[in-house]
Amino acid sequence: QVQLVDSGGGLVQPGGSLRLSCVASGRFFSRHAVAWFRQAPGLERELVAAISGSGESTHYVYFAKGRFTISADHAMNEVYLQMNNLALEDTARYSCLATRISGGMPVSYWGQGTQVTVSS
């Protein structure tokens, strides 16, 4: 049973930084693309950033560009989301999603999420 564990959230003031972590058991992330999503109360879940299994390709949604950085440490089986210059509107529950294609079908795993609260 694959388990992804998200951590690193917390309470931070506007302009502050947090680093989120998504940890998997075993050699996992090199075979999966990983994305961070977030969901604020009353809103739909939205993509934040994604990284390929090789770690060579990354994608950021417009609000994350220039502030957030997604990276992977395959030796540690971790994917990170470094978030700088956080704003009030970044308050949400952040979750990682790992996906691979198996037999032509996507196989996905979610982390349990970690709460990020930006408040003065």
Side-chain angles (χ1 to χ4, degrees), residues 4-81:
L4 302 184
V5 178
D6 299 329
S7 64
L11 175 63
V12 64
Q13 292 185 337
S17 297
L18 285 172
R19 188 176 82 157
L20 307 184
S21 171
C22 175
V23 180
S25 55
R27 289 182 58 192
F28 183 81
F29 287 132
S30 62
R31 296 181 285 118
H32 292 72
V34 179
W36 282 97
F37 285 79
R38 71 183 187 183
Q39 186 168 24
L43 299 179
E44 292 187 358
R45 185 162 55 195
E46 59 183 353
L47 175 67
V48 178
I51 188 167
S52 63
S54 67
E56 294 178 351
S57 179
T58 57
H59 170 76
Y60 298 91
V61 178
Y62 71 95
F63 58 76
K65 289 182 179 179
R67 299 190 302 134
F68 296 178
T69 302
I70 189 169
S71 61
D73 185 337
H74 291 151
M76 298 297 292
N77 299 313
E78 289 193 74
V79 171
Y80 307 102
L81 184 68

